[in-house]
């Protein structure tokens, strides 16, 4: 799985062939194809698997987050860390390839929806809010869209200084908007 993510992130869809992925993983091409009949099957499974690992890592780190006014900003930076990873770069490569490949697009659409729901739930849990209210749901989605956009900007150059300022300002705005909507953190 890690070999597929690395190849896709570094080489793009065209370069991340089954042969390249198998070589990086130290297995035969036949072994890869036994478990994953197509490259799209392998790469989609890898993105989903490594994405779940990242969510689990964030949940473990969440226990160490500050409980004070800095909590929201710390959460935003943790979430941004997911989007700044090779997994996000690999996902972007897949999305771009899927624009021109209907079969890949059909395979990725449900995966992207599942991952999107998982990140939404994670954000709701970390922020301690109830997203049954439309305004809260929209704020969470806007937050994730903002972070994803900042990660896209970072693909071409180091955008960390601007990202830090934007996330700081958004944390203040988000805290104000969500202050009456927070649930008890346990």
């Amino acid at each position: 799985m890690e070999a597929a993510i690395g190849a896709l992130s570094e080489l793009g869809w065209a370069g991340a062939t089954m042969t390249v992925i198998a070589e990086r993983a130290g297995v035969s091409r036949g072994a890869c194809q036994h478990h994953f009949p197509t490259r799209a099957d392998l790469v989609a499974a890898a993105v989903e698997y490594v994405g779940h690992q990242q969510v689990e890592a964030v949940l473990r780190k969440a226990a160490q987050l500050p409980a004070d006014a800095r909590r929201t900003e710390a959460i935003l930076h943790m979430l941004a860390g997911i989007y700044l990873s090779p997994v996000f770069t690999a996902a972007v490569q897949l999305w771009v390839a899927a624009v021109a490949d209907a079969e890949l697009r059909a395979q990725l659409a449900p995966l992207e929806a599942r991952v999107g729901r998982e990140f939404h739930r994670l954000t709701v849990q970390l922020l301690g809010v109830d997203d049954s209210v439309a305004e809260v749901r929209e704020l969470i989605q806007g937050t994730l869209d903002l972070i994803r956009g900042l990660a896209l900007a970072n693909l071409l150059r180091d955008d960390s200084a601007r990202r830090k300022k934007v996330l700081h300002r958004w944390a203040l705005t988000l805290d104000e908007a969500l202050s009456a909507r927070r649930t008890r953190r346990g």
Side-chain angles (χ1 to χ4, degrees), residues 74-103:
I75 289 167
L76 297 181
H77 283 284
M78 269 190 2
L79 293 170
I82 292 173
Y83 286 101
L84 295 170
S85 73
V87 176
F88 179 72
T89 304
V92 169
Q93 296 282 5
L94 284 175
W95 293 339
V96 170
V99 169
D101 184 331
E103 184 180 333

Side-chain angles (χ1 to χ4, degrees), residues 119-180:
F119 278 77
H120 184 95
R121 278 192 299 272
L122 172 66
T123 306
V124 166
Q125 180 181 346
L126 292 173
L127 290 172
V129 294
D130 175 7
D131 73 335
S132 66
V133 176
E135 177 188 2
V136 172
R137 224 177 10 264
E138 292 161 1
L139 284 165
I140 297 301
Q141 191 57 54
T143 297
L144 293 171
D145 290 346
L146 170 69
I147 291 170
R148 197 170 21 253
L150 290 169
L152 284 171
N154 203 72
L155 289 174
L156 299 178
R157 66 180 172 82
D158 180 2
D159 202 34
S160 54
R162 184 175 74 95
R163 183 177 56 254
K164 183 177 180 180
K165 291 176 187 175
V166 169
L167 290 179
H168 172 73
R169 180 62 53 204
W170 182 244
L172 297 173
T173 302
L174 188 60
D175 268 339
E176 185 176 324
L178 293 175
S179 64

